[in-house]
Amino acid sequence: MAPLPPGPRMPRAVQTVAWITRPGPFVLRAQRRFGDAFTIRIGTERPWVMLAHPDAVKQVFTGDPALLHAGKANVILRPFLGRASVLLTDGPEHMRQRKVMLPPFHGSRMAGYRDMVAEIAREHIATWPRGRRLALAPRMQSITLDVVLRVIFGVRESARVDELRPRVRGMVERIMRGSSLFMMATAGPDAIERAGVFKTARRPVDELLAQQIRERRADPGDDVLSLLLEAEHEDGSPMSEQELRDELVTLLVAGHETTATALSWAAERLVRTPGGWDALRAGGERYAEAAGKEALRLRPVVPVVLRHLQAPMTIAGIELDAGTVVAPSVFLVHRRPDVYPDPARFRPERFLGDGPQGGTYSWIPFGGGVRRCVGAAFALMELRVVLAELGRALDAAAPDAAPEHTRRRAITLVPERGAEVVLS
Ligand code: HEM
């Protein structure tokens, strides 16, 4: 057996607590001590070999997908997402699903969704209270949920959106709850599915999706679901009802809270950066996009992506056995002073020029390779449009000087106080 690269020697339980409560300082300290590749031990997981250099990240993202599996790490979500989900599969099955899902999310489609997103943002922003301390995170979640319902699922009537919101939120809350994740991880997906544990959380959402699929089949629109209904696999077959249901839930779970969290961090950083909000007000969508990208750099929503080696591989000059988990550290790559001078500082201007920033393997908030986030262009469009609408409509200030620390919510890192601001 090839030895794993060295890493923190604290007991597994201590590393787990550090990873959960102080993930940033924990990996920064390990990197300082052990370099750009080190091993950490979390929970009941196999050891993770963390990779902090863009060259190593490139090797992982461009490596043979048959040897670098990603679906296994997400399999605990199967009772919610379903077997066909692009997040859970690997190999040919994964590519088959991914190929039908990519076209509706291609960059060229974004112009068609943009106005709907802007309208949703304006409707929400108009109702927000001014002049008092306000947490933006739940409000950003409402915006991104409506975007999923209207732009992705193609729900048209406002009354329907109102009816659906609580059902869908109920299911997402259930998934993200620590106790659910613990149960899913310990019992495993087979036992959970046999026992039908999450059936009641799933049913109202499944009913809604079945209805939406029927309606958009009969009367297609400009939404993602309508495009998926037209899509064909390579053999000419359409997506089955089950595939459609599983992928729609996947888009909801992968795209709703992640985008809301990125929006919340952008606001949290902008109000605590001198002149930040003024620059947003003056800078239009161009500055808004740069602020969104910089927020994703400094406060990546997903701090690490995982690949399970199916065969021995040499990465960053280190021989690794089959079964090893390699973990490109989004957080550490984004904190490299050789790529991002003064890396701890929030500076959207980094993303206004054509500098080395935002490189394929040095700006990786959406992962990479054949697993790169399907919704990356969509998420960036949402960030750009919603932040620009915020800047157009509002002044915002920080309620206090203390920056918000990160808090873990399932696999994502969110602002601990929900991105509090005072609006005027
Ligand atoms: C700021 C918001 C978002 C962030 C930070 C984010 C991040 C990520 C990351 C890190 C991955 C895994 C990549 C890898 O393993 O290399 C991923 C996968 C994925 N994301 Fe996103 N995402 C966001 C928004 C969205 C949106 C809006 C959608 C769709 C509506 C979406 C759909 C997906 C899907 C379907 C996958 C699975 C891709 C695959 O396995 O082939 N995401 N995302």
Side-chain angles (χ1 to χ4, degrees), residues 10 82 118 124 142 159-160 171 177 179 184 191 211 216 218 221 290 295 318 339 365 378 385 402:
M10 304 107 91
H124 281 259
S142 305
R160 269 288 274 296
M171 189 184 83
R177 214 182 279 167
S179 58
M184 292 193 282
Q211 190 178 5
R216 291 294 74 84
I318 305 162
V339 188
F378 192 93
V385 171

Side-chain angles (χ1 to χ4, degrees), residues 151-229:
V151 185
I152 296 184
F153 296 175
V155 180
R156 292 178 190 168
E157 307 76 18
S158 299
R160 269 288 274 296
V161 173
D162 292 342
E163 178 198 342
L164 296 174
R165 238 183 249 127
R167 292 203 214 174
V168 174
R169 278 302 307 164
M171 189 184 83
V172 172
E173 273 304 323
R174 191 70 198 272
I175 299 179
M176 303 298 267
R177 214 182 279 167
S179 58
S180 302
L181 287 171
F182 180 75
M183 178 160 51
M184 292 193 282
T186 46
D190 291 325
I192 300 257
E193 278 167 350
R194 267 198 310 276
V197 177
F198 296 118
K199 276 229 172 83
T200 42
R202 254 185 70 163
R203 194 175 303 117
V205 177
D206 286 359
E207 283 167 8
L208 139 75
L209 291 175
Q211 190 178 5
Q212 273 308 118
I213 291 169
R214 269 196 309 277
E215 288 184 15
R216 291 294 74 84
R217 211 190 277 286
D219 179 15
D222 298 328
D223 49 86
V224 171
L225 170 55
S226 294
L227 291 171
L228 290 177
L229 284 163

Side-chain angles (χ1 to χ4, degrees), residues 139 198 279 331 338:
R139 293 176 168 83
F198 296 118
F331 180 89
D338 53 348

